[in-house]
Amino acid sequence: MSQQQWTAVDDYFTEVLIGHDPVLDAAQQAADAAGLPRIAVSAPQGKQLQLLAETLGARRILEVGTLGGYSAIWMARALPADGRLVTLEIDPVHADVARGNLKHAGFAEIAEVRLGPAADSLQQLADEGADPFDLVFIDADKPGNPVYFAWALRLTRPGSLIVVDNTVRAGKVAEADSTDPAVLGVRRLHDAIAAEPRVSATSIQTVGAKGYDGFTLIRVRA
Ligand code: SAH
Ligand code: DHB
Ligand code: MG
């Protein structure tokens, strides 16, 4: 099996299940024009986030790691008109592109991009006494995963779902002696989940347009 084949299959699923999406295409074009890295979730992965949010009946969504707002648009599509999406981004250029894309997608009222290190913004949300989030998508710097997971637990409620992207790292997650900071971040996340009685979790390996990676689903126990 080759990357070429995985991409062809993602292209096929995108064509047959998602189709032409001018809003998402424009968002990707704006991200490219601004020189953002092409590391947003794939269209099938974005749709999965939307479906999860819809299944949860999510009214409040938190994202850690905005980039150009591509995954944020997918998740915002699941929200009711009075829903809320807060997405955290450290890079001012990324945050600007995301604000433009979310506005163009019609989510200027629903979505808020908070600029700064996610750990600071998460502390700020807790200090503000933010209402619990129904869904949290963690997709920023991978060494930060354990810290973001701890905050996600504080900012959710029983029954909420926490999704963490990129938790397989082309299989490197299984290397117990790895010194790669991203791999360590993902392994420490799994240790933290294992030590946390308030959650139930699984990790799933994936292949696709973005290569061999995967994601972790964490349910806060009801
Ligand atoms: N969720 C996006 C992709 C996010 S890429 C999508 O699928 O469309 C990861 C993003 O996290 C990048 O934009 C990067 O600038 C941001 N990031 C990295 N370190 C961060 C930190 N400490 N705090 C907040 N954002 C961070
Ligand atoms: C990278 C980050 C991501 O969130 C992703 O989905 C793929 C790659 C990266 O930093 O390389
Ligand atoms: Mg990612």
Side-chain angles (χ1 to χ4, degrees):
M1 290 290 236
S2 66
Q3 178 61 58
Q4 194 186 342
Q5 192 164 22
W6 302 339
T7 301
V9 173
D10 256 354
D11 287 348
Y12 166 65
F13 287 150
T14 301
E15 191 184 320
V16 71
L17 297 177
I18 295 167
H20 180 57
D21 192 318
V23 166
L24 288 171
D25 291 349
Q28 189 53 56
Q29 271 167 30
D32 288 345
L36 271 52
R38 301 198 75 161
I39 55 175
V41 295
S42 67
Q45 289 168 338
K47 182 84 177 271
Q48 175 176 242
L49 290 169
Q50 178 185 348
L51 293 171
L52 287 171
E54 286 172 355
T55 302
L56 286 162
R59 305 183 65 81
R60 293 178 50 82
I61 298 174
L62 174 64
E63 178 177 63
V64 184
T66 313
L67 194 63
Y70 184 85
S71 52
I73 291 172
W74 275 111
M75 293 189 288
R77 287 176 169 175
L79 287 171
D82 62 346
R84 187 117 194 97
L85 181 141
V86 180
T87 180
L88 313 180
E89 175 54 54
I90 198 171
D91 186 309
V93 173
H94 298 187
D96 266 357
V97 172
R99 287 188 187 112
N101 281 338
L102 285 160
K103 184 168 186 208
H104 179 252
F107 298 122
E109 305 293 315
I110 281 181
E112 176 193 357
V113 182
R114 287 205 186 189
L115 180 63
D120 294 357
S121 300
L122 290 160
Q123 172 80 64
Q124 196 182 65
L125 282 166
D127 291 348
E128 288 167 11
D131 288 339
F133 292 93
D134 308 304
L135 172 64
V136 182
F137 180 47
I138 299 177
D139 189 23
D141 59 300
K142 310 313 169 188
N145 276 339
V147 168
Y148 304 149
F149 170 59
W151 279 113
L153 269 181
R154 281 189 56 176
L155 293 166
T156 48
R157 55 163 177 83
S160 294
L161 185 69
I162 303 165
V163 181
V164 188
D165 195 24
N166 311 117
T167 52
V168 174
R169 315 291 310 178
K172 292 198 181 85
V173 67
E175 293 172 8
D177 55 356
S178 177
T179 55
D180 176 337
V183 174
L184 285 170
V186 173
R187 289 183 64 89
R188 284 175 185 149
L189 167 71
H190 282 84
D191 292 341
I193 292 168
E196 177 51 70
R198 285 175 293 172
V199 304
S200 174
T202 191
S203 287
I204 299 293
Q205 307 181 64
T206 58
V207 294
K210 295 188 67 184
Y212 169 33
D213 208 326
F215 60 92
T216 298
L217 290 180
I218 306 155
R219 183 169 200 258
V220 182
R221 285 185 199 280

